[in-house]
Amino acid sequence: ATGTYTFADPNVGDGKAVTVSGVSLSGTKAGNYTLTQPTDVIVNVTPRIIAVTADPKSKTYGDPDPVLTYGVTGTLIGGDDFTGKVARNVGDDVGDYVINQGTLLLGSNYQINFTSSTFSVSPKAVLTVTADNQTITYGDLEPPFIFQYSGFVPGDDESVVDTAPTCTVA
């Protein structure tokens, strides 16, 4: 049998009317049958499933975040496209953070199956601590030593050091 069908509304939902027309039989046995044209058919349109997987990302403490990206498995229809973007849990200290769906959306004709990933922040290279040079006379008390730090990322200073260094004379 051949024929055509027309969706009045192809978007996701239940009870959608499909108009069927022009149904005909062909072939050597077609004359053996009487064809009754179908009436309107009701269908349920379900969302298209699209898998989205966040790409793992990393940075060094103090550096700006890289752009978060993701991979897609499945086909979008027509000019449909994503809106929004993936996001990561808040935090800039060394450690791992979850990359989540954030505001990434598709229209109501799709169901996104999202797989999160990890955003890792690694330690900055080296923090250097240097004691100032002092002169003392044999038998006198040790002078107070002043320490200079280098290697902090912008916005950090010695106030982030939990335990200050100490210096003694041997």
Side-chain angles (χ1 to χ4, degrees):
T2 60
T4 60
Y5 65 91
T6 307
F7 270 99
D9 178 9
N11 293 308
V12 168
D14 293 337
K16 303 287 183 161
V18 177
T19 303
V20 180
S21 61
V23 177
S24 64
L25 295 174
S26 61
T28 58
K29 302 259 181 181
N32 295 333
Y33 298 91
T34 301
L35 179 64
T36 303
Q37 289 289 327
T39 58
D40 285 346
V41 177
I42 303 297
V43 298
N44 297 327
V45 181
T46 59
R48 178 177 287 273
I49 297 173
I50 301 294
V52 176
T53 303
D55 297 326
K57 295 290 180 173
S58 63
K59 74 171 190 172
T60 300
Y61 176 74
D63 290 348
D65 280 7
V67 174
L68 299 180
T69 57
Y70 54 89
V72 176
T73 303
T75 305
L76 302 182
I77 304 301
D80 293 344
D81 205 356
F82 290 93
T83 60
K85 58 185 177 177
V86 295
R88 72 174 183 92
N89 288 357
V90 176
D92 287 318
D93 290 333
V94 171
D96 291 335
Y97 301 87
V98 174
I99 300 173
N100 56 57
Q101 186 171 339
T103 60
L104 188 69
L105 297 174
L106 279 170
S108 60
N109 289 324
Y110 298 90
Q111 174 186 324
I112 296 177
N113 288 349
F114 188 83
T115 303
S116 62
S117 191
T118 302
F119 184 94
S120 298
V121 179
S122 60
K124 189 72 175 170
V126 175
L127 177 63
T128 303
V129 180
T130 306
D132 62 334
N133 291 325
Q134 294 286 340
T135 302
I136 61 171
T137 302
Y138 177 75
D140 286 350
L141 295 175
E142 294 178 7
F145 288 91
I146 298 173
F147 298 95
Q148 302 299 319
Y149 299 88
S150 62
F152 283 116
V153 300
D156 283 351
D157 58 24
E158 56 270 358
S159 67
V160 301
V161 176
D162 289 335
T163 304
T166 58
C167 186
T168 59
V169 176

